[in-house]
Amino acid sequence: MAITTSGFGKTADGTELYLYTIKNSNGFTAAVTNFGAILVNLLVPDKAGNTADVVLGYDTAEGYFKNGCFFGAIIGPNANRIDNAKFTIDNVNYQLAANDKTNNLHSDADKGYHKQVWAAQTKENSVVFTLEDPDGSMGFPGNKKVQVTYTVTQDNQLKIEYDVTSDKNTLINMTNHTYFNLSGHNSGTIEAHKICIKASHYTPVYERLIPTGELTPVAETPFDFRTLKTIGDEIDAADTQLQYGQGYDHNYAIDDYDGTLQKVASLEDPNSGRKMDVYTDQPGIQFYAGNCITPQTGKGGASYQKRSGLCLETQCFPDAINQPQFQDVVYGPQRPYKTTTIYQFYS
C-alpha cells in the first residue's frame, strides 16, 4: 500500500492545501484533501482491470471553495435538514443559519466542516484528518474535537471512520456527501444504475423536505428498493414525495438496526459491471439521486448535469434533534460520537 502527498493549491489566505493519494496493488485508489476532508478521486477497476474515477468533483481545490453541491464533502457537525434551523438541548435554545428556505441544511454552507482546513496525518493505508471546532461555531454548542479517518484496504474497501468528543452536550450527525457514478464520473446519468436498500420503511417529508415523523412502508410504492431495481424506472413517477424531492431524496430506515456494522445498500452499474456495497452502523441512509446538480464543469472538463451522480449518505434520521421518536443525536462528555461507513467495490 502506498500513500503519496502532492500540492492541491492554497486558500485565499495562503494556507497550503494537499492531496493525499492511497493506492492498493489492485489499482484501487482514493485521493482526499485536507480542505474539507473531501474525497476528490476514487479509481475503481472493472472486470477487465480498467480503472475509472467514479466520484464527481473538481481538479483543483479552488473548485471546492464554492462546491454548492457538496461534492465529496464531509458534512458536519450535522448533515441533512433541521426544521426552522433551530433546536433545544438541556433547555437551551440554539439558532442556526436558515440556508435552505426556513431550514438549516448541512450545518453551514460557508463555515461547515467541508469548508475548513483540517490537520492531516498519513499512516500505512489511511489518512487521519483532525479539526477543533469551538463552542458556538455555526450556532452549535460545545468545544468539539473531530476526527475523520479514510482507509483503503487491499480488498477494495474505502472505510470512513468518524470520532467526535465535546465538552458540552451538542448535536452531532455527520456523513459523507460523495456522488457516485460507477460508469465513471464523466458518464452522464445514473438512472440506469440498479440499487438495493435494506429498508422496508422510509421517512416521508413535507414540501420543505423535513420528515413528517412517520415511518411509511415502501411496499407498493416507487420507494421499494428491497430487491435490485433500476433507478430510472420510477424516479419521475406521479408521486407527491418524488415531486417534493424532484426525484429520490429521502431517508431510509434500515431494517434490523442494532448499532452494529451491517450491509445496508448495494449499487450496480450494468454498463461497466462495477458494483458497490454500503456498510454502516447508522440507522438511516439518505438516497439522493442528484436531482439538483446544477450544470457545471467537473474534473477533466466533464459536463455534470442533473443526476450525473448519486449519494448514499449514512446517518441518523433528518431533524432527529426535533423529533423525539427518532434516534438520540445528542452527544457530549458522557457520550462520544463514533461511527463507521464502508464502501466496498467489486465487479
Side-chain angles (χ1 to χ4, degrees), residues 3-38:
I3 298 182
T4 58
T5 303
S6 55
F8 199 55
K10 298 181 180 181
T11 64
D13 66 3
T15 302
E16 294 281 353
L17 301 174
Y18 298 96
L19 192 68
Y20 305 89
T21 302
I22 318 168
K23 183 176 182 178
N24 70 15
S25 62
N26 305 318
F28 180 78
T29 305
V32 291
T33 176
N34 62 325
F35 183 76
I38 287 170

PDB file of all heavy atoms in Angstrom, residues 3-38:
ATOM      1  N   ILE A   3       1.053   5.660  -0.070  1.00  0.00           N
ATOM      2  CA  ILE A   3       0.404   6.963   0.061  1.00  0.00           C
ATOM      3  C   ILE A   3       1.367   8.022  -0.459  1.00  0.00           C
ATOM      4  O   ILE A   3       2.532   8.071  -0.051  1.00  0.00           O
ATOM      5  CB  ILE A   3       0.013   7.281   1.518  1.00  0.00           C
ATOM      6  CG1 ILE A   3      -0.996   6.259   2.051  1.00  0.00           C
ATOM      7  CG2 ILE A   3      -0.577   8.689   1.616  1.00  0.00           C
ATOM      8  CD1 ILE A   3      -1.457   6.549   3.464  1.00  0.00           C
ATOM      9  N   THR A   4       0.885   8.857  -1.352  1.00  0.00           N
ATOM     10  CA  THR A   4       1.684   9.974  -1.846  1.00  0.00           C
ATOM     11  C   THR A   4       0.979  11.285  -1.504  1.00  0.00           C
ATOM     12  O   THR A   4      -0.250  11.343  -1.415  1.00  0.00           O
ATOM     13  CB  THR A   4       1.884   9.882  -3.370  1.00  0.00           C
ATOM     14  OG1 THR A   4       0.604   9.864  -4.016  1.00  0.00           O
ATOM     15  CG2 THR A   4       2.648   8.620  -3.744  1.00  0.00           C
ATOM     16  N   THR A   5       1.762  12.321  -1.304  1.00  0.00           N
ATOM     17  CA  THR A   5       1.245  13.647  -0.969  1.00  0.00           C
ATOM     18  C   THR A   5       1.671  14.630  -2.035  1.00  0.00           C
ATOM     19  O   THR A   5       2.839  14.652  -2.439  1.00  0.00           O
ATOM     20  CB  THR A   5       1.781  14.117   0.404  1.00  0.00           C
ATOM     21  OG1 THR A   5       1.429  13.147   1.399  1.00  0.00           O
ATOM     22  CG2 THR A   5       1.205  15.465   0.788  1.00  0.00           C
ATOM     23  N   SER A   6       0.733  15.430  -2.508  1.00  0.00           N
ATOM     24  CA  SER A   6       1.044  16.424  -3.534  1.00  0.00           C
ATOM     25  C   SER A   6       0.314  17.719  -3.221  1.00  0.00           C
ATOM     26  O   SER A   6      -0.668  17.742  -2.469  1.00  0.00           O
ATOM     27  CB  SER A   6       0.637  15.906  -4.920  1.00  0.00           C
ATOM     28  OG  SER A   6      -0.729  15.529  -4.943  1.00  0.00           O
ATOM     29  N   GLY A   7       0.777  18.816  -3.802  1.00  0.00           N
ATOM     30  CA  GLY A   7       0.128  20.104  -3.599  1.00  0.00           C
ATOM     31  C   GLY A   7      -1.236  20.145  -4.261  1.00  0.00           C
ATOM     32  O   GLY A   7      -1.453  19.543  -5.319  1.00  0.00           O
ATOM     33  N   PHE A   8      -2.161  20.900  -3.623  1.00  0.00           N
ATOM     34  CA  PHE A   8      -3.519  20.986  -4.152  1.00  0.00           C
ATOM     35  C   PHE A   8      -4.024  22.425  -4.102  1.00  0.00           C
ATOM     36  O   PHE A   8      -5.211  22.666  -3.987  1.00  0.00           O
ATOM     37  CB  PHE A   8      -4.440  20.047  -3.365  1.00  0.00           C
ATOM     38  CG  PHE A   8      -5.732  19.692  -4.061  1.00  0.00           C
ATOM     39  CD1 PHE A   8      -5.732  19.133  -5.335  1.00  0.00           C
ATOM     40  CD2 PHE A   8      -6.950  19.908  -3.435  1.00  0.00           C
ATOM     41  CE1 PHE A   8      -6.921  18.802  -5.973  1.00  0.00           C
ATOM     42  CE2 PHE A   8      -8.153  19.564  -4.063  1.00  0.00           C
ATOM     43  CZ  PHE A   8      -8.140  19.023  -5.332  1.00  0.00           C
ATOM     44  N   GLY A   9      -3.088  23.374  -4.180  1.00  0.00           N
ATOM     45  CA  GLY A   9      -3.465  24.777  -4.184  1.00  0.00           C
ATOM     46  C   GLY A   9      -3.359  25.423  -2.818  1.00  0.00           C
ATOM     47  O   GLY A   9      -2.792  24.860  -1.878  1.00  0.00           O
ATOM     48  N   LYS A  10      -3.915  26.629  -2.708  1.00  0.00           N
ATOM     49  CA  LYS A  10      -3.878  27.403  -1.468  1.00  0.00           C
ATOM     50  C   LYS A  10      -5.240  28.044  -1.230  1.00  0.00           C
ATOM     51  O   LYS A  10      -5.992  28.309  -2.160  1.00  0.00           O
ATOM     52  CB  LYS A  10      -2.812  28.509  -1.542  1.00  0.00           C
ATOM     53  CG  LYS A  10      -1.385  28.023  -1.711  1.00  0.00           C
ATOM     54  CD  LYS A  10      -0.425  29.196  -1.756  1.00  0.00           C
ATOM     55  CE  LYS A  10       1.014  28.727  -1.920  1.00  0.00           C
ATOM     56  NZ  LYS A  10       1.970  29.865  -1.945  1.00  0.00           N
ATOM     57  N   THR A  11      -5.524  28.302   0.044  1.00  0.00           N
ATOM     58  CA  THR A  11      -6.718  29.069   0.386  1.00  0.00           C
ATOM     59  C   THR A  11      -6.465  30.547   0.090  1.00  0.00           C
ATOM     60  O   THR A  11      -5.343  30.958  -0.231  1.00  0.00           O
ATOM     61  CB  THR A  11      -7.079  28.904   1.866  1.00  0.00           C
ATOM     62  OG1 THR A  11      -6.014  29.451   2.663  1.00  0.00           O
ATOM     63  CG2 THR A  11      -7.275  27.433   2.219  1.00  0.00           C
ATOM     64  N   ALA A  12      -7.506  31.346   0.230  1.00  0.00           N
ATOM     65  CA  ALA A  12      -7.379  32.782  -0.039  1.00  0.00           C
ATOM     66  C   ALA A  12      -6.351  33.447   0.868  1.00  0.00           C
ATOM     67  O   ALA A  12      -5.716  34.440   0.479  1.00  0.00           O
ATOM     68  CB  ALA A  12      -8.738  33.459   0.118  1.00  0.00           C
ATOM     69  N   ASP A  13      -6.156  32.898   2.079  1.00  0.00           N
ATOM     70  CA  ASP A  13      -5.177  33.498   2.990  1.00  0.00           C
ATOM     71  C   ASP A  13      -3.795  32.866   2.866  1.00  0.00           C
ATOM     72  O   ASP A  13      -2.893  33.138   3.664  1.00  0.00           O
ATOM     73  CB  ASP A  13      -5.670  33.426   4.438  1.00  0.00           C
ATOM     74  CG  ASP A  13      -5.777  31.992   4.959  1.00  0.00           C
ATOM     75  OD1 ASP A  13      -5.410  31.048   4.226  1.00  0.00           O
ATOM     76  OD2 ASP A  13      -6.230  31.818   6.108  1.00  0.00           O
ATOM     77  N   GLY A  14      -3.614  32.009   1.855  1.00  0.00           N
ATOM     78  CA  GLY A  14      -2.300  31.440   1.574  1.00  0.00           C
ATOM     79  C   GLY A  14      -1.995  30.121   2.246  1.00  0.00           C
ATOM     80  O   GLY A  14      -0.879  29.602   2.117  1.00  0.00           O
ATOM     81  N   THR A  15      -2.953  29.534   2.942  1.00  0.00           N
ATOM     82  CA  THR A  15      -2.722  28.242   3.582  1.00  0.00           C
ATOM     83  C   THR A  15      -2.562  27.156   2.529  1.00  0.00           C
ATOM     84  O   THR A  15      -3.375  27.035   1.608  1.00  0.00           O
ATOM     85  CB  THR A  15      -3.906  27.878   4.508  1.00  0.00           C
ATOM     86  OG1 THR A  15      -4.064  28.896   5.491  1.00  0.00           O
ATOM     87  CG2 THR A  15      -3.675  26.541   5.198  1.00  0.00           C
ATOM     88  N   GLU A  16      -1.509  26.370   2.664  1.00  0.00           N
ATOM     89  CA  GLU A  16      -1.232  25.305   1.700  1.00  0.00           C
ATOM     90  C   GLU A  16      -2.244  24.172   1.847  1.00  0.00           C
ATOM     91  O   GLU A  16      -2.585  23.761   2.961  1.00  0.00           O
ATOM     92  CB  GLU A  16       0.180  24.749   1.916  1.00  0.00           C
ATOM     93  CG  GLU A  16       1.298  25.733   1.614  1.00  0.00           C
ATOM     94  CD  GLU A  16       1.570  25.874   0.130  1.00  0.00           C
ATOM     95  OE1 GLU A  16       0.990  25.105  -0.668  1.00  0.00           O
ATOM     96  OE2 GLU A  16       2.380  26.737  -0.234  1.00  0.00           O
ATOM     97  N   LEU A  17      -2.685  23.673   0.715  1.00  0.00           N
ATOM     98  CA  LEU A  17      -3.598  22.548   0.684  1.00  0.00           C
ATOM     99  C   LEU A  17      -2.938  21.371  -0.010  1.00  0.00           C
ATOM    100  O   LEU A  17      -2.104  21.558  -0.902  1.00  0.00           O
ATOM    101  CB  LEU A  17      -4.896  22.936  -0.032  1.00  0.00           C
ATOM    102  CG  LEU A  17      -5.657  24.115   0.586  1.00  0.00           C
ATOM    103  CD1 LEU A  17      -6.835  24.512  -0.279  1.00  0.00           C
ATOM    104  CD2 LEU A  17      -6.117  23.776   2.007  1.00  0.00           C
ATOM    105  N   TYR A  18      -3.319  20.165   0.397  1.00  0.00           N
ATOM    106  CA  TYR A  18      -2.639  18.976  -0.095  1.00  0.00           C
ATOM    107  C   TYR A  18      -3.652  17.903  -0.508  1.00  0.00           C
ATOM    108  O   TYR A  18      -4.777  17.858  -0.019  1.00  0.00           O
ATOM    109  CB  TYR A  18      -1.708  18.405   0.982  1.00  0.00           C
ATOM    110  CG  TYR A  18      -0.618  19.367   1.372  1.00  0.00           C
ATOM    111  CD1 TYR A  18      -0.766  20.188   2.485  1.00  0.00           C
ATOM    112  CD2 TYR A  18       0.545  19.468   0.621  1.00  0.00           C
ATOM    113  CE1 TYR A  18       0.229  21.087   2.853  1.00  0.00           C
ATOM    114  CE2 TYR A  18       1.548  20.362   0.973  1.00  0.00           C
ATOM    115  CZ  TYR A  18       1.383  21.169   2.086  1.00  0.00           C
ATOM    116  OH  TYR A  18       2.358  22.052   2.435  1.00  0.00           O
ATOM    117  N   LEU A  19      -3.186  17.050  -1.408  1.00  0.00           N
ATOM    118  CA  LEU A  19      -3.948  15.894  -1.835  1.00  0.00           C
ATOM    119  C   LEU A  19      -3.178  14.650  -1.407  1.00  0.00           C
ATOM    120  O   LEU A  19      -1.990  14.514  -1.701  1.00  0.00           O
ATOM    121  CB  LEU A  19      -4.133  15.905  -3.355  1.00  0.00           C
ATOM    122  CG  LEU A  19      -5.144  14.923  -3.938  1.00  0.00           C
ATOM    123  CD1 LEU A  19      -6.559  15.303  -3.528  1.00  0.00           C
ATOM    124  CD2 LEU A  19      -5.035  14.892  -5.463  1.00  0.00           C
ATOM    125  N   TYR A  20      -3.857  13.756  -0.711  1.00  0.00           N
ATOM    126  CA  TYR A  20      -3.253  12.525  -0.209  1.00  0.00           C
ATOM    127  C   TYR A  20      -3.862  11.350  -0.978  1.00  0.00           C
ATOM    128  O   TYR A  20      -5.073  11.140  -0.946  1.00  0.00           O
ATOM    129  CB  TYR A  20      -3.523  12.377   1.291  1.00  0.00           C
ATOM    130  CG  TYR A  20      -3.070  13.570   2.088  1.00  0.00           C
ATOM    131  CD1 TYR A  20      -3.931  14.651   2.313  1.00  0.00           C
ATOM    132  CD2 TYR A  20      -1.776  13.644   2.604  1.00  0.00           C
ATOM    133  CE1 TYR A  20      -3.521  15.759   3.036  1.00  0.00           C
ATOM    134  CE2 TYR A  20      -1.351  14.756   3.324  1.00  0.00           C
ATOM    135  CZ  TYR A  20      -2.233  15.814   3.530  1.00  0.00           C
ATOM    136  OH  TYR A  20      -1.813  16.916   4.238  1.00  0.00           O
ATOM    137  N   THR A  21      -3.015  10.599  -1.670  1.00  0.00           N
ATOM    138  CA  THR A  21      -3.476   9.535  -2.556  1.00  0.00           C
ATOM    139  C   THR A  21      -3.057   8.177  -1.997  1.00  0.00           C
ATOM    140  O   THR A  21      -1.871   7.931  -1.780  1.00  0.00           O
ATOM    141  CB  THR A  21      -2.914   9.736  -3.973  1.00  0.00           C
ATOM    142  OG1 THR A  21      -3.319  11.026  -4.457  1.00  0.00           O
ATOM    143  CG2 THR A  21      -3.439   8.668  -4.908  1.00  0.00           C
ATOM    144  N   ILE A  22      -4.063   7.322  -1.764  1.00  0.00           N
ATOM    145  CA  ILE A  22      -3.835   5.983  -1.215  1.00  0.00           C
ATOM    146  C   ILE A  22      -4.147   4.962  -2.308  1.00  0.00           C
ATOM    147  O   ILE A  22      -5.248   4.973  -2.862  1.00  0.00           O
ATOM    148  CB  ILE A  22      -4.733   5.704   0.005  1.00  0.00           C
ATOM    149  CG1 ILE A  22      -4.807   6.919   0.941  1.00  0.00           C
ATOM    150  CG2 ILE A  22      -4.258   4.475   0.755  1.00  0.00           C
ATOM    151  CD1 ILE A  22      -5.905   6.809   1.994  1.00  0.00           C
ATOM    152  N   LYS A  23      -3.207   4.072  -2.589  1.00  0.00           N
ATOM    153  CA  LYS A  23      -3.395   3.117  -3.684  1.00  0.00           C
ATOM    154  C   LYS A  23      -3.012   1.721  -3.234  1.00  0.00           C
ATOM    155  O   LYS A  23      -1.951   1.520  -2.635  1.00  0.00           O
ATOM    156  CB  LYS A  23      -2.536   3.532  -4.885  1.00  0.00           C
ATOM    157  CG  LYS A  23      -2.701   2.656  -6.120  1.00  0.00           C
ATOM    158  CD  LYS A  23      -1.878   3.201  -7.285  1.00  0.00           C
ATOM    159  CE  LYS A  23      -2.072   2.367  -8.541  1.00  0.00           C
ATOM    160  NZ  LYS A  23      -1.297   2.921  -9.693  1.00  0.00           N
ATOM    161  N   ASN A  24      -3.901   0.743  -3.539  1.00  0.00           N
ATOM    162  CA  ASN A  24      -3.534  -0.641  -3.249  1.00  0.00           C
ATOM    163  C   ASN A  24      -2.988  -1.317  -4.501  1.00  0.00           C
ATOM    164  O   ASN A  24      -2.906  -0.697  -5.576  1.00  0.00           O
ATOM    165  CB  ASN A  24      -4.712  -1.411  -2.621  1.00  0.00           C
ATOM    166  CG  ASN A  24      -5.852  -1.694  -3.597  1.00  0.00           C
ATOM    167  OD1 ASN A  24      -5.708  -1.587  -4.814  1.00  0.00           O
ATOM    168  ND2 ASN A  24      -7.003  -2.076  -3.049  1.00  0.00           N
ATOM    169  N   SER A  25      -2.641  -2.587  -4.388  1.00  0.00           N
ATOM    170  CA  SER A  25      -1.979  -3.264  -5.510  1.00  0.00           C
ATOM    171  C   SER A  25      -2.930  -3.615  -6.646  1.00  0.00           C
ATOM    172  O   SER A  25      -2.493  -4.038  -7.719  1.00  0.00           O
ATOM    173  CB  SER A  25      -1.288  -4.542  -5.009  1.00  0.00           C
ATOM    174  OG  SER A  25      -2.233  -5.447  -4.483  1.00  0.00           O
ATOM    175  N   ASN A  26      -4.251  -3.424  -6.427  1.00  0.00           N
ATOM    176  CA  ASN A  26      -5.233  -3.699  -7.478  1.00  0.00           C
ATOM    177  C   ASN A  26      -5.497  -2.489  -8.371  1.00  0.00           C
ATOM    178  O   ASN A  26      -6.282  -2.583  -9.317  1.00  0.00           O
ATOM    179  CB  ASN A  26      -6.562  -4.127  -6.847  1.00  0.00           C
ATOM    180  CG  ASN A  26      -6.428  -5.299  -5.905  1.00  0.00           C
ATOM    181  OD1 ASN A  26      -5.708  -6.243  -6.193  1.00  0.00           O
ATOM    182  ND2 ASN A  26      -7.110  -5.229  -4.771  1.00  0.00           N
ATOM    183  N   GLY A  27      -4.872  -1.368  -8.034  1.00  0.00           N
ATOM    184  CA  GLY A  27      -5.155  -0.133  -8.754  1.00  0.00           C
ATOM    185  C   GLY A  27      -6.280   0.676  -8.138  1.00  0.00           C
ATOM    186  O   GLY A  27      -6.596   1.774  -8.610  1.00  0.00           O
ATOM    187  N   PHE A  28      -6.911   0.134  -7.101  1.00  0.00           N
ATOM    188  CA  PHE A  28      -7.968   0.860  -6.380  1.00  0.00           C
ATOM    189  C   PHE A  28      -7.321   2.019  -5.627  1.00  0.00           C
ATOM    190  O   PHE A  28      -6.398   1.826  -4.828  1.00  0.00           O
ATOM    191  CB  PHE A  28      -8.669  -0.089  -5.418  1.00  0.00           C
ATOM    192  CG  PHE A  28      -9.782   0.522  -4.622  1.00  0.00           C
ATOM    193  CD1 PHE A  28     -11.024   0.748  -5.197  1.00  0.00           C
ATOM    194  CD2 PHE A  28      -9.602   0.851  -3.287  1.00  0.00           C
ATOM    195  CE1 PHE A  28     -12.061   1.295  -4.462  1.00  0.00           C
ATOM    196  CE2 PHE A  28     -10.628   1.393  -2.540  1.00  0.00           C
ATOM    197  CZ  PHE A  28     -11.866   1.622  -3.128  1.00  0.00           C
ATOM    198  N   THR A  29      -7.804   3.250  -5.895  1.00  0.00           N
ATOM    199  CA  THR A  29      -7.114   4.444  -5.424  1.00  0.00           C
ATOM    200  C   THR A  29      -8.104   5.474  -4.914  1.00  0.00           C
ATOM    201  O   THR A  29      -9.104   5.767  -5.569  1.00  0.00           O
ATOM    202  CB  THR A  29      -6.298   5.074  -6.573  1.00  0.00           C
ATOM    203  OG1 THR A  29      -5.410   4.098  -7.120  1.00  0.00           O
ATOM    204  CG2 THR A  29      -5.503   6.269  -6.096  1.00  0.00           C
ATOM    205  N   ALA A  30      -7.825   6.013  -3.733  1.00  0.00           N
ATOM    206  CA  ALA A  30      -8.614   7.115  -3.180  1.00  0.00           C
ATOM    207  C   ALA A  30      -7.700   8.302  -2.954  1.00  0.00           C
ATOM    208  O   ALA A  30      -6.573   8.147  -2.467  1.00  0.00           O
ATOM    209  CB  ALA A  30      -9.278   6.705  -1.868  1.00  0.00           C
ATOM    210  N   ALA A  31      -8.181   9.495  -3.326  1.00  0.00           N
ATOM    211  CA  ALA A  31      -7.430  10.724  -3.089  1.00  0.00           C
ATOM    212  C   ALA A  31      -8.309  11.667  -2.277  1.00  0.00           C
ATOM    213  O   ALA A  31      -9.458  11.938  -2.651  1.00  0.00           O
ATOM    214  CB  ALA A  31      -7.022  11.371  -4.399  1.00  0.00           C
ATOM    215  N   VAL A  32      -7.776  12.149  -1.158  1.00  0.00           N
ATOM    216  CA  VAL A  32      -8.516  13.020  -0.248  1.00  0.00           C
ATOM    217  C   VAL A  32      -7.684  14.268   0.028  1.00  0.00           C
ATOM    218  O   VAL A  32      -6.450  14.241  -0.038  1.00  0.00           O
ATOM    219  CB  VAL A  32      -8.853  12.301   1.069  1.00  0.00           C
ATOM    220  CG1 VAL A  32      -9.885  11.210   0.834  1.00  0.00           C
ATOM    221  CG2 VAL A  32      -7.600  11.699   1.717  1.00  0.00           C
ATOM    222  N   THR A  33      -8.357  15.361   0.332  1.00  0.00           N
ATOM    223  CA  THR A  33      -7.663  16.622   0.577  1.00  0.00           C
ATOM    224  C   THR A  33      -7.942  17.131   1.977  1.00  0.00           C
ATOM    225  O   THR A  33      -9.005  16.848   2.551  1.00  0.00           O
ATOM    226  CB  THR A  33      -8.061  17.698  -0.454  1.00  0.00           C
ATOM    227  OG1 THR A  33      -7.424  18.942  -0.120  1.00  0.00           O
ATOM    228  CG2 THR A  33      -9.563  17.922  -0.488  1.00  0.00           C
ATOM    229  N   ASN A  34      -6.977  17.902   2.510  1.00  0.00           N
ATOM    230  CA  ASN A  34      -7.184  18.486   3.828  1.00  0.00           C
ATOM    231  C   ASN A  34      -8.127  19.684   3.788  1.00  0.00           C
ATOM    232  O   ASN A  34      -8.515  20.202   4.833  1.00  0.00           O
ATOM    233  CB  ASN A  34      -5.855  18.889   4.469  1.00  0.00           C
ATOM    234  CG  ASN A  34      -5.093  19.944   3.687  1.00  0.00           C
ATOM    235  OD1 ASN A  34      -5.120  19.961   2.455  1.00  0.00           O
ATOM    236  ND2 ASN A  34      -4.393  20.823   4.388  1.00  0.00           N
ATOM    237  N   PHE A  35      -8.556  20.117   2.613  1.00  0.00           N
ATOM    238  CA  PHE A  35      -9.612  21.109   2.539  1.00  0.00           C
ATOM    239  C   PHE A  35     -10.954  20.387   2.621  1.00  0.00           C
ATOM    240  O   PHE A  35     -11.360  19.686   1.688  1.00  0.00           O
ATOM    241  CB  PHE A  35      -9.546  21.938   1.252  1.00  0.00           C
ATOM    242  CG  PHE A  35     -10.600  23.022   1.206  1.00  0.00           C
ATOM    243  CD1 PHE A  35     -10.452  24.173   1.960  1.00  0.00           C
ATOM    244  CD2 PHE A  35     -11.741  22.877   0.443  1.00  0.00           C
ATOM    245  CE1 PHE A  35     -11.427  25.170   1.945  1.00  0.00           C
ATOM    246  CE2 PHE A  35     -12.717  23.858   0.411  1.00  0.00           C
ATOM    247  CZ  PHE A  35     -12.559  25.008   1.177  1.00  0.00           C
ATOM    248  N   GLY A  36     -11.606  20.511   3.743  1.00  0.00           N
ATOM    249  CA  GLY A  36     -12.910  19.894   3.926  1.00  0.00           C
ATOM    250  C   GLY A  36     -12.882  18.395   4.149  1.00  0.00           C
ATOM    251  O   GLY A  36     -13.939  17.772   4.202  1.00  0.00           O
ATOM    252  N   ALA A  37     -11.682  17.805   4.263  1.00  0.00           N
ATOM    253  CA  ALA A  37     -11.563  16.338   4.341  1.00  0.00           C
ATOM    254  C   ALA A  37     -12.370  15.686   3.224  1.00  0.00           C
ATOM    255  O   ALA A  37     -13.063  14.683   3.414  1.00  0.00           O
ATOM    256  CB  ALA A  37     -12.006  15.822   5.714  1.00  0.00           C
ATOM    257  N   ILE A  38     -12.257  16.262   2.041  1.00  0.00           N
ATOM    258  CA  ILE A  38     -13.086  15.883   0.897  1.00  0.00           C
ATOM    259  C   ILE A  38     -12.467  14.714   0.132  1.00  0.00           C
ATOM    260  O   ILE A  38     -11.247  14.663  -0.074  1.00  0.00           O
ATOM    261  CB  ILE A  38     -13.275  17.104  -0.032  1.00  0.00           C
ATOM    262  CG1 ILE A  38     -14.239  18.111   0.611  1.00  0.00           C
ATOM    263  CG2 ILE A  38     -13.757  16.710  -1.412  1.00  0.00           C
ATOM    264  CD1 ILE A  38     -14.300  19.447  -0.104  1.00  0.00           C
TER     265      ILE A  38
END
